[in-house]
Coordinates of all heavy atoms in Angstrom, one line a residue:
M1 N 0.8 -1.2 0.0 CA 0.0 0.0 0.0 C 0.9 1.2 0.0 O 1.9 1.3 0.8 CB -0.9 0.0 1.2 CG -1.9 1.1 1.3 SD -3.1 0.8 2.5 CE -3.1 2.2 3.4
Y2 N 0.5 2.2 -0.8 CA 1.3 3.4 -1.0 C 1.2 4.3 0.2 O 0.1 4.5 0.8 CB 0.9 4.2 -2.2 CG 1.5 5.6 -2.3 CD1 2.9 5.7 -2.7 CD2 0.8 6.7 -2.0 CE1 3.5 6.9 -2.8 CE2 1.4 7.9 -2.0 CZ 2.7 8.1 -2.4 OH 3.3 9.3 -2.5
Q3 N 2.3 4.9 0.7 CA 2.3 5.9 1.8 C 3.1 7.0 1.3 O 4.3 6.8 0.9 CB 2.8 5.3 3.1 CG 1.9 4.4 3.8 CD 2.4 4.0 5.2 OE1 3.6 4.2 5.5 NE2 1.5 3.5 6.0
S4 N 2.6 8.2 1.4 CA 3.4 9.4 1.0 C 4.6 9.6 2.0 O 4.7 9.0 3.0 CB 2.5 10.7 1.1 OG 2.1 11.0 2.4
D5 N 5.5 10.5 1.5 CA 6.6 10.8 2.3 C 6.2 11.4 3.7 O 6.8 11.1 4.7 CB 7.6 11.8 1.6 CG 8.2 11.1 0.4 OD1 8.3 9.9 0.3 OD2 8.6 11.9 -0.6
V6 N 5.2 12.2 3.6 CA 4.8 12.9 4.9 C 4.2 11.9 5.8 O 4.5 11.9 7.0 CB 3.7 14.0 4.5 CG1 3.1 14.6 5.8 CG2 4.3 15.0 3.6
T7 N 3.4 11.0 5.3 CA 2.9 9.9 6.2 C 4.0 9.0 6.8 O 4.0 8.7 8.0 CB 1.9 9.0 5.4 OG1 0.9 9.8 4.9 CG2 1.2 7.9 6.3
Q8 N 4.9 8.7 6.0 CA 6.1 7.9 6.5 C 6.8 8.7 7.6 O 7.2 8.1 8.6 CB 7.0 7.5 5.3 CG 6.4 6.6 4.4 CD 7.3 6.3 3.2 OE1 8.5 6.8 3.1 NE2 6.8 5.6 2.2
F9 N 7.0 10.0 7.3 CA 7.7 10.8 8.3 C 6.9 10.8 9.7 O 7.5 10.7 10.7 CB 7.9 12.2 7.8 CG 8.5 13.2 8.8 CD1 9.8 13.1 9.1 CD2 7.7 14.1 9.3 CE1 10.4 14.0 10.0 CE2 8.2 15.0 10.3 CZ 9.6 14.9 10.6
I10 N 5.6 11.1 9.6 CA 4.8 11.1 10.8 C 4.9 9.8 11.5 O 5.0 9.7 12.8 CB 3.4 11.6 10.5 CG1 3.4 13.0 10.0 CG2 2.5 11.4 11.7 CD1 2.1 13.5 9.5
N11 N 4.7 8.7 10.8 CA 4.8 7.4 11.4 C 6.1 7.1 12.1 O 6.2 6.5 13.1 CB 4.5 6.3 10.4 CG 3.0 6.3 10.0 OD1 2.1 6.7 10.7 ND2 2.7 5.7 8.8
S12 N 7.2 7.5 11.4 CA 8.5 7.4 12.1 C 8.6 8.2 13.4 O 9.2 7.8 14.3 CB 9.6 7.7 11.1 OG 9.7 9.1 10.8
L13 N 8.1 9.4 13.3 CA 8.1 10.2 14.6 C 7.3 9.5 15.7 O 7.7 9.5 16.8 CB 7.4 11.6 14.3 CG 8.3 12.7 13.6 CD1 7.4 13.9 13.4 CD2 9.5 13.0 14.5
K14 N 6.1 9.0 15.3 CA 5.3 8.3 16.4 C 6.0 7.0 16.9 O 5.9 6.7 18.0 CB 4.0 7.9 15.8 CG 3.1 9.1 15.6 CD 1.7 8.7 15.0 CE 0.8 9.8 14.7 NZ -0.5 9.4 14.1
T15 N 6.8 6.4 16.0 CA 7.5 5.2 16.5 C 8.7 5.6 17.4 O 8.9 4.9 18.4 CB 8.1 4.5 15.2 OG1 7.1 4.1 14.3 CG2 8.9 3.2 15.6
K16 N 9.4 6.7 17.1 CA 10.5 7.2 17.9 C 10.0 7.7 19.2 O 10.7 7.6 20.3 CB 11.3 8.2 17.2 CG 12.1 7.7 16.0 CD 12.7 8.8 15.3 CE 13.4 8.3 13.9 NZ 14.0 9.4 13.2
N17 N 8.9 8.4 19.2 CA 8.3 9.0 20.4 C 6.9 8.6 20.6 O 6.0 9.2 20.1 CB 8.5 10.5 20.4 CG 8.0 11.2 21.6 OD1 7.7 10.5 22.6 ND2 8.1 12.5 21.6
P18 N 6.6 7.5 21.3 CA 5.2 7.0 21.4 C 4.3 7.9 22.2 O 3.1 7.9 22.0 CB 5.3 5.7 22.2 CG 6.7 5.4 22.4 CD 7.5 6.6 21.9
R19 N 4.8 8.9 23.0 CA 4.0 9.8 23.7 C 3.7 11.1 23.0 O 3.2 12.1 23.5 CB 4.7 10.1 25.1 CG 4.8 8.9 26.0 CD 5.4 9.2 27.3 NE 4.6 10.2 27.9 CZ 5.1 11.2 28.7 NH1 6.4 11.3 28.9 NH2 4.3 12.1 29.3
L20 N 4.1 11.1 21.7 CA 4.0 12.4 20.9 C 2.6 12.9 20.9 O 2.3 14.1 21.1 CB 4.5 12.1 19.5 CG 4.4 13.3 18.5 CD1 5.4 14.4 19.0 CD2 4.7 12.8 17.1
E21 N 1.6 12.1 20.6 CA 0.2 12.5 20.5 C -0.3 13.0 21.9 O -1.0 14.1 21.9 CB -0.7 11.4 20.0 CG -0.5 11.1 18.5 CD -1.5 10.1 18.0 OE1 -2.6 10.1 18.4 OE2 -1.0 9.3 17.1
E22 N 0.1 12.4 22.9 CA -0.3 12.8 24.3 C 0.2 14.2 24.6 O -0.5 15.1 25.1 CB 0.1 11.8 25.3 CG -0.2 12.1 26.7 CD 0.4 11.2 27.7 OE1 0.7 10.0 27.3 OE2 0.6 11.5 28.9
E23 N 1.5 14.4 24.2 CA 2.1 15.7 24.5 C 1.5 16.8 23.6 O 1.4 17.9 24.1 CB 3.6 15.6 24.2 CG 4.4 14.7 25.2 CD 5.8 14.4 24.8 OE1 6.3 14.9 23.7 OE2 6.5 13.6 25.5
Q24 N 1.1 16.4 22.4 CA 0.5 17.4 21.5 C -0.9 17.8 22.2 O -1.2 19.0 22.1 CB 0.2 16.8 20.1 CG 1.5 16.7 19.3 CD 1.2 16.1 18.0 OE1 0.4 15.2 17.8 NE2 1.9 16.6 17.0
R25 N -1.6 16.9 22.7 CA -2.9 17.2 23.3 C -2.7 18.1 24.5 O -3.5 19.0 24.7 CB -3.6 15.9 23.7 CG -4.2 15.2 22.5 CD -5.2 14.0 22.9 NE -5.5 13.2 21.8 CZ -4.9 12.1 21.5 NH1 -3.9 11.6 22.3 NH2 -5.2 11.4 20.4
K26 N -1.7 17.8 25.3 CA -1.4 18.6 26.5 C -1.1 20.0 26.0 O -1.5 21.0 26.6 CB -0.3 18.0 27.3 CG -0.7 16.9 28.1 CD 0.5 16.4 29.0 CE 0.2 15.1 29.7 NZ 1.3 14.6 30.4
G27 N -0.2 20.2 25.0 CA 0.1 21.5 24.5 C -1.0 22.2 23.9 O -1.1 23.5 24.1
R28 N -1.9 21.6 23.3 CA -3.1 22.2 22.7 C -4.0 22.7 23.8 O -4.6 23.8 23.7 CB -3.9 21.3 21.8 CG -5.1 21.9 21.2 CD -6.2 20.9 20.9 NE -7.4 21.6 20.5 CZ -8.3 21.9 21.4 NH1 -8.2 21.6 22.6 NH2 -9.4 22.5 21.0
A29 N -4.1 22.0 24.9 CA -5.0 22.3 26.0 C -4.5 23.6 26.7 O -5.4 24.2 27.4 CB -5.1 21.2 27.0
L30 N -3.3 24.0 26.7 CA -2.8 25.1 27.4 C -3.6 26.4 27.1 O -4.1 27.0 27.9 CB -1.3 25.3 27.2 CG -0.4 24.2 27.8 CD1 1.0 24.4 27.4 CD2 -0.6 24.1 29.3
P31 N -3.5 26.8 25.8 CA -4.2 28.1 25.5 C -5.7 28.0 25.3 O -6.4 29.0 25.5 CB -3.5 28.6 24.3 CG -3.0 27.4 23.6 CD -2.8 26.4 24.7
W32 N -6.2 26.9 24.9 CA -7.6 26.9 24.4 C -8.6 26.3 25.4 O -9.7 26.7 25.4 CB -7.7 26.1 23.1 CG -6.8 26.6 22.1 CD1 -5.6 26.1 21.6 CD2 -6.9 27.9 21.4 NE1 -5.0 26.9 20.7 CE2 -5.8 28.0 20.5 CE3 -7.9 28.9 21.5 CZ2 -5.7 29.2 19.7 CZ3 -7.7 30.0 20.7 CH2 -6.6 30.1 19.8
D33 N -8.2 25.3 26.1 CA -9.2 24.6 27.0 C -9.2 25.2 28.4 O -8.9 24.5 29.4 CB -8.9 23.1 27.1 CG -9.0 22.4 25.7 OD1 -9.7 23.0 24.8 OD2 -8.4 21.3 25.5
K34 N -9.6 26.4 28.5 CA -9.7 27.1 29.8 C -11.1 27.0 30.3 O -12.1 26.9 29.6 CB -9.3 28.6 29.6 CG -7.9 28.8 29.1 CD -6.9 28.4 30.1 CE -5.5 28.6 29.6 NZ -4.5 28.2 30.4
R35 N -11.2 27.0 31.7 CA -12.5 27.0 32.3 C -13.2 28.3 32.0 O -12.5 29.4 32.0 CB -12.3 26.8 33.8 CG -11.8 25.4 34.1 CD -11.7 25.1 35.6 NE -12.6 25.9 36.4 CZ -12.3 26.2 37.7 NH1 -11.2 25.7 38.2 NH2 -13.1 27.0 38.4
P36 N -14.5 28.4 31.9 CA -15.2 29.6 31.7 C -15.0 30.5 32.9 O -14.9 30.1 34.0 CB -16.6 29.2 31.4 CG -16.7 27.8 31.9 CD -15.3 27.2 31.9
A37 N -15.0 31.8 32.6 CA -14.9 32.8 33.7 C -16.2 32.8 34.6 O -17.2 32.3 34.2 CB -14.7 34.2 33.1
D38 N -16.1 33.2 35.8 CA -17.2 33.2 36.7 C -18.2 34.3 36.2 O -17.9 35.2 35.4 CB -16.8 33.5 38.1 CG -16.3 34.9 38.4 OD1 -15.9 35.6 37.4 OD2 -16.1 35.3 39.5
P39 N -19.5 34.2 36.5 CA -20.6 35.1 36.0 C -20.3 36.6 36.2 O -20.6 37.4 35.4 CB -21.8 34.6 36.7 CG -21.6 33.2 37.2 CD -20.1 33.1 37.4
D40 N -19.8 36.9 37.4 CA -19.5 38.3 37.6 C -18.4 38.9 36.6 O -18.5 40.0 36.1 CB -19.0 38.5 39.1 CG -20.1 38.2 40.1 OD1 -21.3 38.4 39.8 OD2 -19.7 37.9 41.2
E41 N -17.4 38.1 36.4 CA -16.4 38.5 35.5 C -16.9 38.6 34.1 O -16.6 39.5 33.3 CB -15.2 37.5 35.6 CG -14.0 37.9 34.7 CD -12.9 36.9 34.9 OE1 -12.9 36.1 35.8 OE2 -11.9 37.0 34.1
Q42 N -17.8 37.6 33.7 CA -18.4 37.7 32.4 C -19.2 38.9 32.1 O -19.1 39.5 31.1 CB -19.2 36.4 32.1 CG -18.4 35.2 31.9 CD -19.3 33.9 31.7 OE1 -20.5 34.0 31.9 NE2 -18.7 32.8 31.4
S43 N -20.0 39.3 33.2 CA -20.8 40.5 33.0 C -19.9 41.7 32.9 O -20.2 42.7 32.1 CB -21.8 40.6 34.2 OG -21.1 40.9 35.4
T44 N -18.8 41.8 33.6 CA -17.9 42.9 33.5 C -17.3 43.0 32.2 O -17.2 44.1 31.6 CB -16.8 42.8 34.6 OG1 -17.4 42.7 35.9 CG2 -15.8 44.0 34.5
I45 N -16.9 41.8 31.6 CA -16.4 41.8 30.3 C -17.4 42.3 29.2 O -17.1 43.1 28.3 CB -15.9 40.4 29.9 CG1 -14.6 40.0 30.8 CG2 -15.5 40.2 28.4 CD1 -14.2 38.6 30.7
R46 N -18.6 41.8 29.4 CA -19.7 42.3 28.4 C -19.9 43.8 28.5 O -20.1 44.4 27.5 CB -21.0 41.5 28.7 CG -21.0 40.2 28.0 CD -22.4 39.6 28.1 NE -22.3 38.1 28.4 CZ -22.5 37.6 29.5 NH1 -23.0 38.2 30.5 NH2 -22.4 36.3 29.7
Q47 N -19.9 44.3 29.7 CA -20.2 45.7 29.9 C -19.1 46.6 29.4 O -19.3 47.7 28.9 CB -20.5 46.1 31.3 CG -21.8 45.5 31.8 CD -21.9 45.6 33.3 OE1 -21.0 46.1 34.0 NE2 -23.1 45.1 33.8
S48 N -17.8 46.1 29.4 CA -16.7 46.9 29.0 C -16.4 46.8 27.5 O -15.5 47.6 27.0 CB -15.5 46.4 29.7 OG -15.1 45.1 29.3
R49 N -17.2 46.1 26.7 CA -17.0 46.0 25.3 C -17.4 47.3 24.6 O -18.4 47.9 25.0 CB -17.7 44.8 24.7 CG -17.1 43.5 25.0 CD -17.8 42.4 24.3 NE -17.2 41.1 24.6 CZ -17.8 40.0 24.6 NH1 -19.1 39.9 24.2 NH2 -17.2 38.9 24.9
V50 N -16.7 47.7 23.6 CA -17.1 48.9 22.8 C -17.6 48.4 21.5 O -17.0 47.6 20.8 CB -15.8 49.8 22.6 CG1 -16.2 50.9 21.7 CG2 -15.2 50.2 23.9
A51 N -18.8 48.8 21.2 CA -19.5 48.4 20.0 C -18.8 49.0 18.8 O -18.5 50.2 18.7 CB -20.9 48.8 20.0
Q52 N -18.5 48.2 17.8 CA -17.9 48.6 16.6 C -18.9 48.8 15.5 O -19.7 47.8 15.3 CB -16.8 47.6 16.1 CG -16.1 48.1 14.8 CD -15.0 47.1 14.4 OE1 -14.8 46.1 15.1 NE2 -14.4 47.4 13.2
P53 N -19.0 49.9 14.8 CA -20.0 50.1 13.8 C -19.6 49.2 12.6 O -18.4 48.9 12.3 CB -19.9 51.5 13.4 CG -18.5 52.0 13.8 CD -18.1 51.1 15.0
P54 N -20.6 48.7 11.9 CA -20.3 47.8 10.8 C -19.7 48.6 9.6 O -20.1 49.8 9.4 CB -21.7 47.3 10.4 CG -22.7 48.3 10.9 CD -22.0 48.9 12.1
Y55 N -18.8 48.0 8.9 CA -18.1 48.7 7.8 C -17.7 50.1 8.1 O -18.1 51.1 7.5 CB -18.9 48.6 6.6 CG -19.4 47.2 6.2 CD1 -20.7 46.9 6.4 CD2 -18.5 46.3 5.7 CE1 -21.1 45.6 6.1 CE2 -18.9 45.0 5.4 CZ -20.2 44.7 5.6 OH -20.6 43.4 5.3
P56 N -16.8 50.4 9.1 CA -16.4 51.7 9.5 C -15.7 52.5 8.3 O -15.8 53.7 8.3 CB -15.5 51.5 10.6 CG -15.0 50.1 10.5 CD -16.1 49.4 9.9
Y57 N -15.2 51.8 7.3 CA -14.5 52.4 6.3 C -15.4 52.9 5.2 O -15.0 53.6 4.3 CB -13.4 51.5 5.7 CG -13.8 50.1 5.5 CD1 -14.5 49.7 4.4 CD2 -13.6 49.2 6.5 CE1 -14.9 48.3 4.3 CE2 -14.0 47.8 6.4 CZ -14.6 47.4 5.3 OH -15.0 46.1 5.2
F58 N -16.7 52.6 5.3 CA -17.7 53.1 4.3 C -18.6 54.2 4.9 O -19.4 54.8 4.3 CB -18.6 52.0 3.8 CG -18.0 51.1 2.9 CD1 -17.9 49.7 3.1 CD2 -17.4 51.5 1.7 CE1 -17.4 48.8 2.2 CE2 -16.8 50.7 0.8 CZ -16.8 49.3 1.1
M59 N -18.3 54.6 6.2 CA -19.1 55.6 6.8 C -18.8 57.0 6.2 O -17.7 57.3 6.0 CB -18.9 55.6 8.3 CG -19.4 54.4 9.0 SD -19.1 54.4 10.7 CE -20.0 55.8 11.3
T60 N -19.9 57.8 6.0 CA -19.7 59.1 5.5 C -19.9 60.1 6.6 O -20.7 59.9 7.5 CB -20.6 59.4 4.4 OG1 -22.0 59.2 4.8 CG2 -20.4 58.5 3.2
V61 N -19.2 61.2 6.6 CA -19.3 62.1 7.7 C -20.0 63.3 7.3 O -20.0 63.8 6.2 CB -17.9 62.5 8.3 CG1 -18.0 63.5 9.4 CG2 -17.2 61.3 8.7

């Protein structure tokens, strides 16, 4: 069965380091899988947002 060079490279990496996928999942979880903020903090964040007008570069003065 044909395997591309990239597939062969990835398979060799996984063979050399069996914990590679686990480490990748841990690394991905660092910035993205955060617990949601508490309700008080969420309301403060919502209130502090500044509304951006749609298409500000087409507005005429």
Side-chain angles (χ1 to χ4, degrees):
M1 185 165 128
Y2 171 77
Q3 287 187 343
S4 69
D5 293 337
V6 175
T7 303
Q8 291 175 8
F9 175 73
I10 292 172
N11 288 338
S12 69
L13 278 178
K14 289 180 181 179
T15 303
K16 291 176 187 175
N17 185 2
R19 296 184 57 216
L20 180 67
E21 290 184 35
E22 178 185 340
E23 291 171 4
Q24 287 178 325
R25 286 190 191 99
K26 285 181 184 176
R28 182 207 169 268
L30 292 176
W32 303 110
D33 296 341
K34 299 291 181 185
R35 291 181 26 203
D38 66 347
D40 293 333
E41 187 177 346
Q42 287 178 351
S43 68
T44 303
I45 291 171
R46 277 192 219 105
Q47 291 171 359
S48 65
R49 287 187 181 152
V50 177
Q52 180 180 357
Y55 304 109
Y57 40 87
F58 285 124
M59 293 178 62
T60 57
V61 179

